[in-house]
Amino acid sequence: MNCLQTWPEPIVRVQSLAESGIRKLPNRYIKPHNERPQLTLLNPQDDINVPVISLQDLFSGNESLREATLASISSACREWGFFQVVNHGVDPELMKRARDTWREFFEQPLEEKQRYANSPDTYEGYGSRLGVEKAALLDWSDYFFLHYMPPSLRKQEKWPSIPNSCRNLITEYGNEVVRLCGTLMKILSINLGLEEDQLQNAFGGENNDIGACLRVNFYPKCPQPDLTLGLSSHSDPGGITVLLPDENVPGLQVRKGNNWITVKPAPNSFIVNIGDQIQVLSNAIYKSVEHRVIANSVKGRVSLALFYNPKSDFVIEPMKQLITKDRPALYPAMTFDEYRLYVRTKGPCGKSQLESLKSLR
Ligand code: OGA
Ligand code: NI
C-alpha cells in the first residue's frame, strides 16, 4: 500500500486554474486526439436520451403497473446500463439544497477548502486527481469524497464545516439516497430472477453492512473544452451509482455502441447506473457501462455521485444461480477492497480492469 500514501507531484486545483483566467489549457489537461470530445458533433442524435422511469407505480399496490415498471428497468439495465428515475421518493427540496450547499462549498476561498486536502490512501476530502501515476494526464475537475456507510467509517470532522448546513445535509441526503439504493437493489435482484434480498445480501450479508461513499464533482468552466474532459471515460467500480446531476449544465455522456450520448436530465431526476460489482455478481447479464464528462466553456457544473458498494472486505463473485454450463463464471472472486485499488492507482481508464480480470479465468 506504500505507493498510495502520497500524490506523486504537487496538486493543482483546477478551479484555481480556471479562475486565474488562462486562455490556453496547460498540457497536462490536453487529451490525445482519439479521446477528445468532438464537441462540434455533439448530439448527432439529439432525440436520444437515457430512459426516464417513474418509480411511482412500485408503491401503488397495482400489480400490473408494478410489473411494467420492473420491465422498463430491466430493459434499461440491459440496453443502457443507465436510467433516470423520477418520482423516486426523495424530496426535490432536499435535492436542491444538496446541490446549492455543495456549490457554496466550492465557492469558498481556496484556503478554506485546502483544510480538507486529501491523499490517495483513503481519498477522503478535497481532491483534484484520481490515480497516482506520475506525469499522468489529468481531468478538468476537482471533487470532495467522503465515506457515508458503514457508520463506523463516517468521520464528520472530515466533512466541510462551511457552509454550516453541510454536515447535517450530508446525513439527511445520504439517508434518503441509501434508502433509494435499497429499493433499486431489490428491483435488480428480482429482475435477475433472484430472491428480492439476494443481491443485497451478496453486498453486505444479513446485517445489511454495505458501503456508501459520496463524491461531489466540481467541473469548473474551461477555456478549451474541446481539448479535454471533465472526467475521462470510466465505469464505476462499485455496485450502483445514484447521481444528482446539475440541472442547468449538461456534461455527462454515456457510451452507446460507438456513440457518446449526452444525458439530458429530467426535472428532479437521479441518474442511476450499474457498477462493476453488479456486472461481476450478475455474471455480465448487466454491464457497467462507460461514461465520461465533457467540460463547458460557459458555466461550472456540480454533480453528486453516491456510490452504493459491497462491504469492502466481502468476497464478490458471480452468483451461483447465474452460472450455467453455457455461461460459466466470467470473473474471479475478489473483495471490493482489492478491486478498487486498481482505479485508485491508475485513475479512470475505461473498462480495462474488468476486461483484464476476464482473462484471468
Ligand atoms: C462519477 C461520474 C458523472 C457526472 O463521479 O463517477 O461518472 O456527471 N460522474 O459528474
Ligand atoms: Ni462514474
Side-chain angles (χ1 to χ4, degrees), residues 51-54 66-77 83 191:
V52 180
I53 300 172
S54 169
R66 183 181 130 87
E67 299 266 311
T69 308
L70 292 186
S72 335
I73 294 176
S74 171
S75 47
C77 288
F83 51 98
N191 278 344

Side-chain angles (χ1 to χ4, degrees), residues 215 231 234-236 241 273 291 307:
R215 188 164 85 212
L231 183 54
H234 66 284
S235 63
D236 293 344
T241 305
N273 67 284
H291 51 285
F307 303 110

Side-chain angles (χ1 to χ4, degrees), residues 280-350:
V280 170
L281 284 164
S282 76
N283 204 21
I285 294 173
Y286 291 162
K287 310 268 194 326
S288 69
V289 167
E290 273 178 84
H291 51 285
R292 67 181 189 183
V293 176
I294 54 176
N296 182 298
S297 61
V298 184
K299 277 191 125 175
R301 175 175 182 269
V302 179
S303 69
L304 276 67
L306 188 127
F307 303 110
Y308 191 84
N309 298 329
K311 185 172 184 301
S312 67
D313 56 0
F314 233 52
V315 174
I316 300 293
E317 59 189 331
M319 308 275 296
K320 295 279 175 293
Q321 290 93 325
L322 305 177
I323 301 172
T324 59
K325 226 168 105 238
D326 298 334
R327 194 183 181 86
L330 289 169
Y331 308 101
M334 191 180 281
T335 67
F336 184 51
D337 271 337
E338 290 167 328
Y339 190 89
R340 93 176 138 185
L341 204 52
Y342 181 99
V343 65
R344 289 189 166 189
T345 311
K346 291 200 175 275
C349 31

Side-chain angles (χ1 to χ4, degrees), residues 54-158:
S54 169
L55 300 188
Q56 187 176 309
D57 291 335
L58 286 180
F59 316 108
S60 67
N62 179 323
E63 200 46 38
S64 67
L65 291 177
R66 183 181 130 87
E67 299 266 311
T69 308
L70 292 186
S72 335
I73 294 176
S74 171
S75 47
C77 288
R78 285 164 195 265
E79 287 163 29
W80 287 86
F82 264 84
F83 51 98
Q84 308 187 47
V85 290
V86 294
N87 302 316
H88 39 60
V90 181
D91 183 358
E93 258 319 298
L94 174 61
M95 297 164 75
K96 181 174 181 317
R97 265 197 291 136
R99 250 190 311 250
D100 290 350
T101 303
W102 278 104
R103 218 176 233 289
E104 212 179 316
F105 170 76
F106 284 103
E107 282 164 4
Q108 298 300 310
L110 183 64
E111 309 81 71
E112 175 59 28
K113 291 176 292 205
Q114 290 291 24
R115 293 172 43 200
Y116 305 97
N118 74 350
S119 69
D121 55 347
T122 66
Y123 273 87
E124 277 172 294
Y126 179 47
S128 297
R129 64 183 287 167
L130 259 175
V132 292
E133 296 198 333
K134 204 171 160 102
L137 291 186
L138 300 177
D139 288 339
W140 192 258
S141 53
D142 300 320
Y143 63 85
F144 198 102
F145 180 78
L146 59 90
H147 286 289
Y148 186 68
M149 294 285 267
S152 59
L153 287 185
R154 242 179 247 177
K155 300 202 190 77
Q156 294 237 6
E157 70 281 6
K158 292 195 170 185

